[in-house]
Amino acid sequence: MMERSSTEQARRFDDIKANYYEICENIERAAAESGRKPDEITFLAATKTVEPEFINYAISLGLTHIGENKVQEMLSKYDEYDLDNSQLHFIGHLQTNKVRQIVGKVSMIQSVDSLKLAQEISKQSIKNDVNTDILIEVNIGKEENKSGVTEEIIDELLEQISSLEGIKIRGLMSVPPICDSKQEIFKFFDKMYKLFIDISSKKSDNIYMDYLSMGMSDDYKEAILSGANMIRVGSGLFGARIYR
Ligand SMILES: *Cc1c(COP(=O)(O)O)cnc(C)c1O
């Protein structure tokens, strides 16, 4: 990696600070508009490709949740995260054979989309004597080659997973399709909110609909207006990713 000049570094810190406060203000506004308090919305920073010094700087500003989406990258940065002041979530596609590497290290896995994956998280959680919170990832746009379960099979999957030990279902997560208009993105967010409310109202054992995680840099305000209570913002906080 190239050496960064100290002015470049200072500028990056300044940018992160300005972005952080701007996002917090936008969260506050969207929360108020949807009849909620700002502290009902969890601001998670998606930290892929971001060096720990910048992640920890955001934590020093008040950021409480961070999320990684690749196991290898997360493990390589793990010792450097300020986890005394933040919670680490896993938000990316997770292969069953990598589960044992992250259970006990993350407080939530947001991207569970199969019984097999949930069973492995359960098994590793029991082995490590921990409880792992999970969200079920929903492929709300029914896109091919995209992670997540479709609405049609979610009830069955929830029921199967809810009986597993060492694992607690805390809500739903989604990455909707790229949309050309706000109108279109609202359609997917509203669909997710409806699903979230439908599942909540069934009050099933061991299924806690505490979190609806949706909305990224380009659409977190719309997500909050549609009922999201957890947003995942990456580039909007840390700047555009130059790779990946
Ligand atoms: C990268 C990422 C985000 C954030 O994306 P941005 O557009 O950079 O805000 C959110 N969720 C997941 C699962 C991600 O991988």
Side-chain angles (χ1 to χ4, degrees):
M1 199 175 284
M2 270 198 303
E3 276 296 316
R4 272 186 308 265
S5 70
S6 56
T7 48
E8 200 177 320
Q9 176 119 344
R11 197 174 307 134
R12 182 107 191 260
F13 280 124
D14 286 346
D15 286 347
I16 292 170
K17 188 184 213 166
N19 292 339
Y20 179 77
Y21 289 121
E22 188 186 329
I23 294 165
C24 288
E25 267 173 41
N26 288 334
I27 292 172
E28 217 166 293
R29 211 169 298 131
E33 228 177 289
S34 58
R36 290 174 295 168
K37 298 195 187 78
D39 64 5
E40 290 175 62
I41 316 291
T42 300
F43 171 9
L44 176 142
T47 51
K48 56 177 175 270
T49 78
V50 180
E51 295 94 332
E53 59 181 316
F54 298 116
I55 300 171
N56 290 342
Y57 177 67
I59 295 169
S60 79
L61 298 173
L63 181 74
T64 55
H65 289 70
I66 61 175
E68 288 286 353
N69 73 337
K70 291 215 160 70
V71 171
Q72 231 37 58
E73 181 180 346
M74 189 196 100
L75 294 175
S76 74
K77 299 196 278 192
Y78 186 75
D79 290 336
E80 293 175 76
Y81 299 127
D82 177 7
L83 295 183
D84 290 333
N85 296 299
S86 65
Q87 275 192 31
L88 175 62
H89 289 194
F90 192 80
I91 62 175
H93 180 68
L94 181 58
Q95 286 170 282
T96 307
N97 63 2
K98 293 195 174 160
V99 168
R100 63 178 172 79
Q101 297 180 270
I102 70 164
V103 164
K105 288 192 164 69
V106 295
S107 44
M108 188 185 279
I109 298 175
Q110 296 206 3
S111 39
V112 177
D113 63 358
S114 73
L115 179 60
K116 191 166 141 253
L117 180 58
Q119 282 168 330
E120 181 64 14
I121 297 169
S122 165
K123 184 178 145 194
Q124 296 299 334
S125 298
I126 294 166
K127 212 161 132 185
N128 285 277
D129 200 22
V130 294
N131 255 292
T132 306
D133 284 348
I134 65 161
L135 302 182
I136 305 298
E137 182 171 356
V138 182
N139 182 353
I140 197 67
K142 293 190 171 65
E143 292 171 280
E144 268 182 67
N145 307 318
K146 192 151 183 181
S147 307
V149 295
T150 55
E151 295 157 83
E152 287 73 21
I153 62 159
I154 195 164
D155 283 331
E156 189 188 348
L157 183 68
L158 282 166
E159 196 192 320
Q160 290 167 326
I161 294 178
S162 67
S163 66
L164 300 174
E165 282 174 50
I167 201 170
K168 190 170 165 186
I169 302 169
R170 299 293 303 274
L172 306 178
M173 181 269 226
S174 187
V175 183
I178 310 267
C179 294
D180 295 328
S181 69
K182 296 290 179 202
Q183 201 180 344
E184 204 186 342
I185 191 75
F186 270 123
K187 202 180 73 192
F188 290 114
F189 285 151
D190 289 345
K191 231 170 154 189
M192 277 302 299
Y193 184 69
K194 184 175 180 302
L195 189 62
F196 179 73
I197 293 301
D198 283 351
I199 297 166
S200 310
S201 67
K202 288 179 192 150
K203 300 193 192 314
S204 314
D205 286 345
N206 298 320
I207 299 175
Y208 302 87
M209 286 291 123
D210 299 321
Y211 295 105
L212 177 57
S213 170
M214 61 185 190
M216 317 204 297
S217 295
D218 291 336
D219 53 23
Y220 67 89
K221 287 169 263 180
E222 288 77 13
I224 294 170
L225 293 176
S226 299
N229 60 9
M230 185 184 282
I231 57 166
R232 308 177 311 270
V233 178
S235 50
L237 176 61
F238 295 111
R241 288 179 290 274
I242 44 175
Y243 54 104
R244 233 179 287 174

